[in-house]
Amino acid sequence: MSKLHADHYADAMTQVDAAIIENELVGEQTYRVRLAAPAIAASVVPGQFVMIRLKGLNSPLIGRALAVYDVVSDASGDPHFIDLVYLKKGVLTTALAASQVGTEVTLWGPLGNGFSNRTCDRLIMAVGGIGQTPMLLLGQEAIGSRTFGLNRDSGWATSAELIYGARRSSLLAGVEDFQAAGFDVTLCTDDGSVGQQRLVPDVLADRLRDIPPGTSVRVVTCGPEIMMQKVSQACAAAGVDCQVSMETPMACGIGICFSCVAQVRQDNGEWDYKRTCVEGPIFDAEKICWE
């Protein structure tokens, strides 16, 4: 059977029942679940996501889209597990947070297009809220410490850094993972409980002003939409390449329901609706119609 359009369309996905290996609290109302899903672990690339449902339950009826946070190898060194980091918020994530080791979930993925691996000297990951979740894999791929997916290049950036903001320190999850991966990490909190009491777009704008001439920079961003809009505006002002990972709510994850559309500018200057689940969730920032 030929593919519908591109490798990231849903006919390239795998559906599996996966056992929970770990399910740990990593921040305020924030959990990391590890799932045994070797087919997905072997093929996922940074920025892609999976849809997840609790097996055998009809409430909620639809799945939930979660970015793949990490890929973990088995004893033989082969990619076997995926980690998802999620905020306990709705019906599904509340039930998932209460699930014990050994519980099975249904996954389908990997889905979405993933971040591009365009070459640069410096990669800056500007994130807020739960927007750090697609970035750990990307940063590791960028500096060449790990490779992901099938026949995808790594080592396309000289350095990578994370600018990560949240309302308060207890909501920052996985900071130590990014530090252990070798990235410079700058933290921002609204209440000043840790790091700088500033907004991520403002810290980024200062960073871009300090970039030495001749240094090629890429910015990637994920988090609240207003934050991503301001990040994209800072990048446009500085003439810096920026990609956004849209967090538009999804129902099916495979392009059928059209519930996750975003307004995206076309080459002719007009805009059209694009499904973030199959034509995203990664878009070039300058193409997003924010208002």
Side-chain angles (χ1 to χ4, degrees):
M1 180 178 178
S2 62
K3 297 184 187 301
L4 294 174
H5 182 268
D7 288 343
H8 55 268
Y9 269 40
D11 57 344
M13 75 176 188
T14 300
Q15 180 168 320
V16 299
D17 292 332
I20 293 177
I21 306 302
E22 298 175 5
N23 197 17
E24 299 180 343
L25 187 70
V26 294
E28 182 182 336
Q29 299 294 303
T30 307
Y31 292 77
R32 178 186 57 79
V33 61
R34 180 164 296 172
L35 302 163
I40 295 175
S43 58
V44 68
V45 302
Q48 288 189 302
F49 65 94
V50 296
M51 297 293 292
I52 181 171
R53 283 191 64 205
L54 297 177
K55 187 179 178 184
L57 297 182
N58 292 324
S59 179
L61 181 63
I62 62 176
R64 172 74 185 272
L66 294 175
V68 176
Y69 177 72
D70 203 359
V71 173
V72 180
S73 298
D74 59 16
S76 65
D78 296 323
H80 191 89
F81 309 97
I82 61 170
D83 286 358
L84 311 175
V85 172
Y86 63 96
L87 187 66
K88 178 183 172 183
K89 188 175 182 180
V91 175
L92 189 148
T93 51
T94 298
L96 181 59
S99 298
Q100 302 299 309
V101 170
T103 302
E104 285 197 335
V105 303
T106 298
L107 300 173
W108 55 104
L111 297 167
N113 55 355
F115 290 103
S116 71
N117 52 356
R118 297 193 285 261
T119 301
C120 64
D121 294 320
R122 187 170 177 179
L123 175 70
I124 302 177
M125 300 171 283
V127 306
I130 200 72
Q132 85 283 14
T133 52
M135 300 300 178
L136 184 62
L137 296 187
L138 182 67
Q140 292 176 95
E141 180 190 80
I143 63 175
S145 59
R146 298 178 69 187
T147 58
F148 304 100
L150 306 173
N151 303 314
R152 180 168 158 118
D153 292 334
S154 63
W156 40 266
T158 303
S159 66
E161 67 173 294
L162 179 76
I163 304 173
Y164 181 11
R167 294 193 304 276
R168 52 188 175 272
S169 60
S170 59
L171 290 168
L172 296 167
V175 173
E176 63 282 355
D177 295 332
F178 288 89
Q179 293 170 332
F183 312 138
D184 290 333
V185 176
T186 300
L187 301 179
C188 308
T189 48
D190 292 353
D191 65 359
S193 52
V194 72
Q196 302 182 33
Q197 192 173 10
R198 301 181 66 201
L199 299 177
V200 167
D202 296 334
V203 174
L204 173 67
D206 286 349
R207 191 80 87 250
L208 294 179
R209 281 192 289 268
D210 293 338
I211 296 295
T215 302
S216 60
V217 179
R218 278 190 61 199
V219 173
V220 292
T221 185
C222 183
E225 187 167 302
I226 185 62
M227 185 212 76
M228 291 194 293
Q229 180 182 2
K230 291 185 178 300
V231 165
S232 68
Q233 290 170 345
C235 291
V240 168
D241 177 25
C242 179
Q243 284 193 309
V244 300
S245 177
M246 300 296 289
E247 292 192 324
T248 311
M250 300 177 190
C252 72
I254 57 175
I256 294 174
C257 69
F258 284 78
S259 67
C260 64
V261 294
Q263 291 183 346
V264 179
R265 289 189 182 87
Q266 308 304 294
D267 291 340
N268 62 6
E270 298 181 356
W271 64 266
D272 194 6
Y273 286 115
K274 297 296 182 181
R275 296 164 293 175
T276 58
C277 64
V278 292
E279 290 148 323
I282 313 302
F283 295 96
D284 290 332
E286 71 271 14
K287 294 184 177 181
I288 299 296
C289 301
W290 296 107
E291 298 176 353

